[in-house]
Amino acid sequence: MRVHVVDPSAYTPPYDHALCQALASAGAQVELITSRFSYGTVPAAENYDRRESFYRLGHAGPQSAAPRPAWQRALKLAEHVPEMVAYGRRAQRADVVHLQWLTVQPLDVHLLPRGGPPLVLTAHDVLPREPRPGQLRAQRALYERVDAVVVHSEHGRRRLIEELKLDPARITQIPHGVLRPWEDHVELDSGQRGQRRGLPRELATLQGPVILFLGLLRPYKGLDVLLRAWQGIEGAELWIVGMPRMDTTALKASAPPGVRFIERFLTDGELWPFLDRAYLTVLPYREIDQSGVLFTALGAGVPSVLSDVGGFPEVAATGAATLFPAGDADALRAALERLLDDPEARATMAAAARRAAETDYAWPGIAARTLDLYRTLGAR
């Protein structure tokens, strides 16, 4: 079976790489259609083909907290239309096209290939959390345009049925797979492969427990709740690590003692030292379906403290995480203090995380279910 996995987004996420590897290992002939990779890591080994067909001019340079200049955004948009049209012709060579992150939904709903192989769309975000004008309507139209929609949780499936009135027969629930991007990528350092980084110098010699918040810093992720919860916690540090996609000035001003902001993009090879240092990861999100950060923590065997939103309770049911009511800083503080003082509970949760990573969220089973979906669509 010839499978195209299509993701024109900013860079190739670890999810794309893991999915393509798993599908290829299960016997599919896989081609990843993506943008130019430019963020400092490369896959160390691939068993699939990669074609960098998008944003070869308008998307260059490393991650930055600053918005891209207007000319670069305009160039990226100008590239998008002809590149999507060109891909539409190439799509006829595939048996199935599996779409991931479509970047210009109002245009993409009209630019998707027609009259060719079945189209599958993964709803990583069931609806955009920070929508641009017209994006919500376009997202709904995309769901109607494709042949099947994949969601990562029962929560996401219910939203598609109840809020968007999507036909349940067109929805397939397949779990998000565990992520270990440090195994699949190596650093690019002065053009040389094989370089791996440890913790930054200012963190490497610090002693004591560390609680880790990891990922892009966005309003919906509840950092304000986390900082209120940290008030009064002593003998540990909270590391908030990720590239800002919001103004963090007020957050940093309100941060209690023991909080460190490391505001930069971490490449895949840099993730492991932070996770290896963490007693717990904390995800105090106000809303979510599922989170790649959570499945990266599972891959590292690190227990998590999660708000009770979206698909998080489904992961907590494995024993790998504990829940608190979203927005409740007192409840979050109590959960953090309890686990900081209870190494046996943390060890039990870590064991559950490793077990879930090898069973419920292991890629061979996910690939098998995904290929079953492809075959069902091809037989119609």
Side-chain angles (χ1 to χ4, degrees):
M1 176 176 288
R2 296 164 298 177
V3 178
H4 284 185
V5 175
V6 181
D7 186 348
S9 63
Y11 82 115
T12 306
Y15 178 89
D16 288 356
H17 178 59
L19 175 64
C20 290
Q21 281 193 313
L23 293 173
S25 295
Q29 181 182 335
V30 182
E31 186 170 358
L32 174 62
I33 315 294
T34 186
S35 62
R36 188 172 67 159
F37 196 89
S38 59
Y39 287 164
T41 62
V42 295
E46 295 177 339
N47 56 357
Y48 60 90
D49 294 324
R50 174 197 297 269
R51 178 176 292 269
E52 296 175 350
S53 299
F54 293 93
Y55 311 142
R56 286 166 287 186
L57 298 175
H59 183 75
Q63 279 272 25
S64 169
R68 294 193 177 274
W71 69 264
Q72 196 173 65
R73 295 196 303 272
L75 178 57
K76 185 175 176 180
L77 182 61
E79 287 186 281
H80 184 81
V81 173
E83 287 167 349
M84 282 292 289
V85 171
Y87 173 67
R89 294 191 292 269
R90 182 172 181 79
Q92 308 307 314
R93 306 178 189 178
D95 295 311
V96 66
V97 171
H98 195 155
L99 306 156
Q100 303 296 324
W101 301 96
L102 291 172
T103 52
V104 192
Q105 291 95 332
L107 291 177
D108 290 331
V109 70
H110 304 291
L111 296 174
L112 290 178
R114 294 182 180 273
L119 302 180
V120 179
L121 174 64
T122 292
H124 292 284
D125 294 331
V126 172
L127 287 173
R129 288 182 294 271
E130 300 163 1
R132 299 182 297 275
Q135 193 175 12
L136 288 173
R137 184 173 61 255
Q139 186 77 14
R140 291 185 176 95
L142 279 171
Y143 290 144
E144 296 294 340
R145 172 72 177 77
V146 299
D147 298 283
V149 179
V150 171
V151 289
H152 293 314
S153 69
E154 176 59 27
H155 168 267
R157 185 175 183 276
R158 287 197 306 270
R159 287 194 70 192
L160 287 174
I161 295 170
E162 295 171 7
E163 296 181 35
L164 299 184
K165 311 303 180 186
L166 205 63
D167 179 359
R170 299 179 58 242
I171 305 169
T172 300
Q173 182 184 342
I174 300 175
H176 191 302
V178 68
L179 300 175
R180 297 185 179 96
W182 51 87
E183 294 180 351
D184 295 327
H185 289 74
V186 295
E187 292 297 312
L188 286 181
D189 185 0
S190 301
Q192 300 298 314
R193 288 177 180 256
Q195 303 294 320
R196 292 192 179 274
R197 300 178 186 174
L199 287 173
R201 184 176 303 174
E202 68 273 18
L203 303 179
T205 59
L206 294 175
Q207 303 298 313
V210 169
I211 306 298
L212 181 65
F213 175 97
L214 182 64
L216 294 175
L217 311 187
R218 293 186 181 274
Y220 74 87
K221 293 190 174 181
L223 280 170
D224 55 330
V225 178
L226 177 56
L227 292 177
R228 291 200 304 273
W230 199 258
Q231 295 280 353
I233 294 181
E234 299 178 351
E237 286 204 350
L238 170 64
W239 293 359
I240 297 173
V241 184
M243 180 63 67
R245 287 291 182 264
M246 57 188 287
D247 186 349
T248 59
T249 303
L251 289 172
K252 287 185 284 191
S254 68
V259 178
R260 294 177 184 268
F261 281 79
I262 300 97
E263 293 187 345
R264 67 180 182 85
F265 178 80
L266 291 187
T267 59
D268 296 331
E270 293 177 291
L271 288 169
W272 171 251
F274 283 91
L275 288 160
D276 187 47
R277 185 68 177 81
Y279 278 42
L280 303 163
T281 60
V282 57
L283 286 76
Y285 294 5
R286 287 186 169 87
E287 56 176 317
I288 197 66
D289 184 51
Q290 286 293 16
S291 164
V293 172
L294 172 56
F295 287 90
T296 304
L298 287 176
V302 179
S304 297
V305 178
L306 310 173
S307 53
D308 59 350
V309 297
F312 282 179
E314 298 168 39
V315 177
T318 68
T322 190
L323 297 172
F324 73 96
D328 189 334
D330 292 336
L332 175 54
R333 181 187 305 113
L336 293 173
E337 289 178 330
R338 175 176 61 82
L339 289 170
L340 281 168
D341 291 337
D342 192 341
E344 290 186 4
R346 294 198 309 271
T348 298
M349 292 170 65
R354 292 190 291 271
R355 186 167 56 250
E358 299 304 323
T359 54
D360 296 359
Y361 305 116
W363 282 102
I366 291 168
R369 292 170 68 171
T370 304
L371 287 170
D372 283 345
L373 170 62
Y374 296 165
R375 295 186 187 102
T376 298
L377 293 172
R380 289 179 184 173

